[in-house]
Amino acid sequence: MNYSLNSIPDRVAKPRESGYTMAMDKGLSIRETEDFLEVAGDYVDIVKLGWATSYVVPNLQKKLDVYKAAGIPVYFGGTLFEAFIVRNQFDDYRRVLDKYEMTFAEVSDGSLEMVHEDKCQYIRTLSEQVTVLSEVGSKDDQKIIPPYMWIRLMQAELDAGAWKVIGEAREGGNVGLFRSTGEVRSGLVEEILTKIPFEKILWEAPQKSQQVWFIKLLGTNVNLGNIAPSEVVPLETIRLGLRGDTFNDFLNLEKPC
Amino acid sequence: MNYSLNSIPDRVAKPRESGYTMAMDKGLSIRETEDFLEVAGDYVDIVKLGWATSYVVPNLQKKLDVYKAAGIPVYFGGTLFEAFIVRNQFDDYRRVLDKYEMTFAEVSDGSLEMVHEDKCQYIRTLSEQVTVLSEVGSKDDQKIIPPYMWIRLMQAELDAGAWKVIGEAREGGNVGLFRSTGEVRSGLVEEILTKIPFEKILWEAPQKSQQVWFIKLLGTNVNLGNIAPSEVVPLETIRLGLRGDTFNDFLNLEKPC
Amino acid sequence: MNYSLNSIPDRVAKPRESGYTMAMDKGLSIRETEDFLEVAGDYVDIVKLGWATSYVVPNLQKKLDVYKAAGIPVYFGGTLFEAFIVRNQFDDYRRVLDKYEMTFAEVSDGSLEMVHEDKCQYIRTLSEQVTVLSEVGSKDDQKIIPPYMWIRLMQAELDAGAWKVIGEAREGGNVGLFRSTGEVRSGLVEEILTKIPFEKILWEAPQKSQQVWFIKLLGTNVNLGNIAPSEVVPLETIRLGLRGDTFNDFLNLEKPC
């Protein structure tokens, strides 16, 4: 850090299992990727190329090279997995992962109907090839999954080999974990945490108010995702109690005044 | 594209009359312009320098050179035309178009009152010099134009020589075609389409929900405008059914599962 | 300017006491800083490194060098001052200001409780070292300060040596001067202006509708702050009556039609 402040909350150091920040790249140029890493490379743990943007961006290989050189792993959004599945092209998907030397992949069913045992089988199969993040929650704001079902799905996916499970929110933060207004379904989150270990969950939380809510509830080292590249530094200050929103939440350790 | 997916909707290839994406540049630097074109140059058809930003940006000529080298035509926002008209400086405006070797221009009346025959005369006159886009709709959210009048205005402006007519929405997407909440005036759009050919209309649709609405109604190759530079790639994925919002809208062609 | 338009409102030239634009940098890279200055360097008067982002960004010294070379002064957000105060590290804060050769500093109490005489004492002390901007208003949307108290606080802080007083709004524009919806507390603003000189106040107004409101009320040369870097050029066009929002507000001088 650039200067010394006392009583700053302890951040787990990278590489880490908690305190994880996942950023979403939905089409950065090479220079923008370099700029993002210059500013936020110390704070971001993994980058998702949002949904199927990797299909259309003309700089895919070069961008993957930039992230690799910086030691930041990258994965394709779950919607890309689903786009291959709905077309009966799962083997093609595995070849794409190989072609680009991907080390992580997401398995999700946010945009299609999938028998859950099939989803778990995809997790098992892909786990032999890459580290799997699986996602629970629909992108359809009309499909409300009750808390006991979130827990059952998450546990089964971890048992099938998922490294972490992701709570769905989309880029907008208005489905899945959140109401259409962006408000957190707080009872859902609290009930999930009675059964699934804190560090195994990556909460999508693109809006600042959502990030603040999770940090107030779960502390500095909660895993958060779908963070816009320009919001990684602001998020880090919220984690450290250095923005108005959490300014008074980390001072009780040794409050000096 | 970077890999193969079956059953992707057919996009008309550039140069094209439909499937047009118009992006709005409201003050990009030279490097940002280059970055935008690196990522989205294959998907954007034309760029508008928003309203009168071209008056104040210090890099105007150099930026026009960058777009020209990439083969992307550029035009000044309609508010600039209106700023010259309201000052009785139409001839000066024509000289500005010449000075910067502009090949497109917009004629609009979103911020002032203009007799419609005068507007049509400006379209006729400018059509001798450049390709004219004309815009219908007020920037004032209190001025509601009924559907039959939208149709009459659009037809008269096409008859006067406009290449395409633009449906007003502003950068925010909250006037003209849309209610102040951003919701589409869907009855208006559907009525317009009973009379004005699909490919002659460029719909301003800066918000994602608005883009999705038009693509669901009018398909992959609808003309959309006022797209932020960073949203051109996301829009392209929505057009291709590769984002959650339209994932299930283009699969019925030869749905494999 | 790139071409000539008649009847453009007079902007006070830089360096200036009114017509000030303060932009907020919350973690730009070096290239992004250069790009920002390429486009908006002629229009921005001062830059705030938002809240305590200066603690975590890895490019702090180099970025300060870029701003210095462009002649744009920079200051750390008030929350950083408060973070030092709440830890009893005021002397450390003064050393940080020296280390980075800062010429401006902000004194605020938006996130903590501070006896007002103590705040004024900090203003007096820091005024010996730097030019002080002091800020009035809470970041807590539940803490409503009545107008007479805003005036009393602002006057006392100016008397203590503050160069200008800032009206609080945060990055979001939803506290202090504004209701949680972003709507201006217009009675508050008008009452403040009966007592505090126009040019001594810097109004935080991050949302476009807020900028428009102030420019319509107070004219081209109102001091506005918390402007996102990419919004400085758009704001300049609003100040000049060259965007739809203020198009008709500056034409009555010598209205030609």
Side-chain angles (χ1 to χ4, degrees):
Chain A
M1 299 303 170
N2 292 311
Y3 38 80
S4 251
L5 278 164
N6 302 327
S7 307
I8 294 294
D10 281 337
R11 281 282 278 139
V12 176
K14 288 175 62 175
R16 53 195 163 197
E17 283 291 315
S18 64
Y20 222 70
T21 293
M22 176 267 274
M24 183 199 277
D25 172 342
K26 60 180 190 177
L28 297 179
S29 74
I30 298 303
R31 279 198 297 232
E32 287 166 344
T33 308
E34 292 168 348
D35 288 351
F36 166 42
L37 293 172
E38 170 195 323
V39 172
D42 292 347
Y43 306 116
V44 68
D45 297 88
I46 196 164
V47 168
K48 173 167 71 179
L49 304 186
W51 62 100
T53 51
S54 60
Y55 180 70
V56 300
V57 293
N59 59 4
L60 179 58
Q61 183 61 62
K62 203 166 169 194
K63 178 146 67 173
L64 291 173
D65 293 344
V66 172
Y67 281 121
K68 193 169 195 175
I72 310 287
V74 176
Y75 68 99
F76 299 137
T79 301
L80 182 65
F81 163 81
E82 297 178 47
F84 276 96
I85 294 304
V86 82
R87 289 167 174 81
N88 279 336
Q89 290 186 259
F90 180 55
D91 288 344
D92 289 337
Y93 184 59
R94 298 187 64 181
R95 279 187 282 271
V96 170
L97 295 179
D98 275 341
K99 173 181 170 190
Y100 290 104
E101 300 180 353
M102 305 303 284
T103 55
F104 284 78
E106 180 179 329
V107 170
S108 62
D109 57 349
S111 298
L112 47 66
E113 297 291 330
M114 188 185 286
V115 176
H116 196 245
E117 175 46 32
D118 290 351
K119 187 178 179 189
C120 288
Q121 188 54 47
Y122 287 121
I123 294 170
R124 274 181 220 108
T125 306
L126 282 171
S127 291
E128 293 164 15
Q129 184 176 357
V130 293
T131 300
V132 173
L133 292 138
S134 74
E135 187 177 62
V136 173
S138 176
K139 291 192 194 300
D140 182 343
D141 64 4
Q142 301 303 309
K143 289 193 189 160
I144 305 298
I145 304 172
Y148 83 93
M149 187 58 78
W150 276 80
I151 292 167
R152 189 180 295 178
L153 298 171
M154 283 178 153
Q155 189 58 57
E157 296 178 20
L158 289 169
D159 292 344
W163 171 61
K164 289 190 195 298
V165 285
I166 299 171
E168 170 74 86
R170 305 202 65 189
E171 188 196 2
N174 52 8
V175 297
L177 298 170
F178 304 98
R179 299 196 174 86
S180 59
T181 57
E183 189 193 354
V184 186
R185 294 177 60 194
S186 54
L188 169 64
V189 170
E190 288 172 24
E191 189 163 336
I192 289 172
L193 284 163
T194 63
K195 300 289 182 180
I196 307 291
F198 166 78
E199 71 276 8
K200 299 306 278 181
I201 312 175
L202 177 56
W203 308 95
E204 292 188 350
Q207 299 181 18
K208 191 188 76 163
S209 62
Q210 299 169 344
Q211 298 158 17
V212 168
W213 188 89
F214 277 108
I215 290 168
K216 280 177 180 280
L217 184 73
L218 299 173
T220 295
N221 291 303
V222 62
N223 298 322
L224 295 173
N226 279 17
I227 311 300
S230 60
E231 295 298 328
V232 171
V233 156
L235 170 59
E236 195 66 22
T237 63
I238 296 169
R239 289 185 184 276
L240 297 178
L242 292 175
R243 192 171 186 178
D245 313 84
T246 56
F247 189 88
N248 292 294
D249 293 282
F250 298 109
L251 292 172
N252 43 6
L253 315 167
E254 35 175 324
K255 202 171 182 171
C257 67
Chain B
M1 299 302 171
N2 292 311
Y3 37 81
S4 251
L5 278 165
N6 302 328
S7 307
I8 295 292
D10 279 336
R11 282 282 277 139
V12 176
K14 286 174 62 175
R16 53 194 164 198
E17 283 291 315
S18 64
Y20 223 70
T21 293
M22 177 266 274
M24 183 200 277
D25 171 342
K26 60 180 191 177
L28 296 180
S29 74
I30 298 302
R31 279 198 298 230
E32 287 164 345
T33 307
E34 293 168 350
D35 288 352
F36 165 42
L37 293 171
E38 169 195 324
V39 173
D42 291 347
Y43 306 117
V44 67
D45 297 87
I46 196 166
V47 168
K48 173 168 70 178
L49 303 187
W51 62 102
T53 53
S54 60
Y55 180 70
V56 301
V57 293
N59 59 5
L60 179 58
Q61 183 60 63
K62 204 167 168 193
K63 179 147 66 175
L64 291 173
D65 294 344
V66 172
Y67 282 121
K68 192 170 196 175
I72 310 287
V74 176
Y75 67 100
F76 299 137
T79 301
L80 183 64
F81 162 79
E82 298 179 47
F84 276 96
I85 295 304
V86 82
R87 289 168 174 81
N88 279 334
Q89 291 187 258
F90 180 54
D91 288 343
D92 290 337
Y93 184 59
R94 297 187 64 181
R95 280 187 282 270
V96 170
L97 295 178
D98 275 341
K99 174 180 170 190
Y100 290 104
E101 301 179 353
M102 306 304 284
T103 55
F104 284 79
E106 181 179 330
V107 169
S108 61
D109 56 350
S111 297
L112 47 67
E113 297 292 329
M114 188 185 285
V115 175
H116 196 244
E117 175 47 32
D118 290 350
K119 188 178 179 189
C120 289
Q121 188 54 47
Y122 287 121
I123 294 170
R124 274 181 221 108
T125 305
L126 283 171
S127 291
E128 294 165 15
Q129 183 176 0
V130 293
T131 300
V132 173
L133 293 138
S134 74
E135 187 177 62
V136 173
S138 175
K139 292 191 194 300
D140 182 343
D141 64 4
Q142 300 304 307
K143 290 193 188 157
I144 305 298
I145 302 172
Y148 83 92
M149 186 57 79
W150 276 80
I151 292 166
R152 188 179 299 178
L153 297 172
M154 283 178 154
Q155 190 58 58
E157 295 178 19
L158 290 168
D159 292 345
W163 171 60
K164 287 188 195 299
V165 285
I166 300 171
E168 169 74 86
R170 305 202 68 187
E171 188 195 3
N174 51 8
V175 296
L177 299 170
F178 304 98
R179 300 197 174 83
S180 60
T181 57
E183 191 193 353
V184 186
R185 294 176 61 193
S186 53
L188 168 64
V189 170
E190 288 171 25
E191 190 163 337
I192 289 172
L193 284 163
T194 62
K195 301 287 183 182
I196 308 291
F198 166 77
E199 71 277 7
K200 298 306 277 181
I201 312 174
L202 177 55
W203 308 96
E204 292 188 349
Q207 299 181 20
K208 191 187 76 164
S209 62
Q210 299 168 344
Q211 298 157 17
V212 168
W213 188 88
F214 277 107
I215 290 168
K216 280 178 180 282
L217 183 73
L218 299 174
T220 296
N221 292 304
V222 61
N223 298 323
L224 295 174
N226 279 18
I227 311 300
S230 60
E231 295 299 328
V232 172
V233 156
L235 170 59
E236 194 66 22
T237 64
I238 296 169
R239 288 184 185 276
L240 297 179
L242 292 175
R243 192 171 187 179
D245 314 83
T246 55
F247 189 87
N248 293 296
D249 292 282
F250 297 109
L251 292 171
N252 43 7
L253 315 165
E254 35 176 325
K255 201 170 184 173
C257 69
Chain C
M1 298 304 169
N2 292 310
Y3 38 80
S4 250
L5 278 166
N6 302 328
S7 308
I8 295 293
D10 280 336
R11 283 282 278 140
V12 177
K14 288 174 63 175
R16 53 195 163 198
E17 283 291 313
S18 64
Y20 224 69
T21 292
M22 176 267 274
M24 183 200 276
D25 171 342
K26 60 182 193 176
L28 297 180
S29 73
I30 297 303
R31 276 198 298 231
E32 287 166 344
T33 308
E34 292 168 350
D35 288 351
F36 165 42
L37 293 172
E38 169 194 325
V39 173
D42 291 347
Y43 306 116
V44 67
D45 297 87
I46 196 165
V47 168
K48 172 168 72 178
L49 303 185
W51 62 99
T53 51
S54 59
Y55 181 70
V56 302
V57 293
N59 60 4
L60 179 57
Q61 183 60 61
K62 205 167 167 193
K63 179 146 66 175
L64 292 172
D65 294 344
V66 172
Y67 282 121
K68 193 170 194 173
I72 309 287
V74 176
Y75 67 99
F76 299 138
T79 301
L80 183 65
F81 162 79
E82 297 180 46
F84 276 96
I85 295 304
V86 81
R87 289 168 174 83
N88 279 334
Q89 290 186 259
F90 180 55
D91 288 344
D92 289 337
Y93 184 58
R94 298 187 64 181
R95 279 187 283 269
V96 169
L97 295 178
D98 276 341
K99 175 181 169 189
Y100 290 104
E101 301 180 350
M102 306 302 284
T103 56
F104 284 78
E106 181 179 329
V107 170
S108 62
D109 57 349
S111 297
L112 46 67
E113 298 291 330
M114 189 185 285
V115 175
H116 195 246
E117 174 47 32
D118 290 352
K119 188 179 179 189
C120 289
Q121 187 55 48
Y122 286 122
I123 293 171
R124 275 182 219 107
T125 305
L126 283 172
S127 291
E128 294 164 15
Q129 183 176 357
V130 293
T131 300
V132 174
L133 293 138
S134 74
E135 187 178 62
V136 173
S138 175
K139 292 190 193 301
D140 183 343
D141 63 4
Q142 300 303 307
K143 288 193 189 159
I144 305 299
I145 303 173
Y148 83 93
M149 187 57 78
W150 276 80
I151 293 167
R152 189 179 296 178
L153 297 171
M154 283 178 153
Q155 190 58 59
E157 296 178 19
L158 289 168
D159 292 344
W163 170 61
K164 288 189 195 298
V165 285
I166 300 171
E168 169 74 87
R170 303 203 68 186
E171 187 194 3
N174 52 8
V175 297
L177 298 170
F178 304 97
R179 301 198 173 82
S180 59
T181 58
E183 190 193 354
V184 186
R185 293 176 61 194
S186 53
L188 169 63
V189 170
E190 289 171 23
E191 190 163 337
I192 289 172
L193 283 163
T194 63
K195 301 289 183 181
I196 308 290
F198 166 77
E199 72 275 9
K200 298 306 277 181
I201 312 174
L202 178 55
W203 307 96
E204 292 188 351
Q207 300 181 17
K208 190 187 75 164
S209 61
Q210 299 169 345
Q211 298 158 18
V212 168
W213 188 89
F214 277 107
I215 290 167
K216 279 177 181 282
L217 184 71
L218 299 174
T220 296
N221 291 303
V222 62
N223 298 322
L224 296 174
N226 279 17
I227 310 301
S230 60
E231 296 298 328
V232 171
V233 156
L235 170 59
E236 194 66 20
T237 63
I238 296 169
R239 289 184 185 276
L240 298 178
L242 292 174
R243 192 171 188 179
D245 313 85
T246 56
F247 189 88
N248 293 296
D249 292 282
F250 297 110
L251 293 173
N252 41 8
L253 315 166
E254 35 177 322
K255 203 169 184 172
C257 67

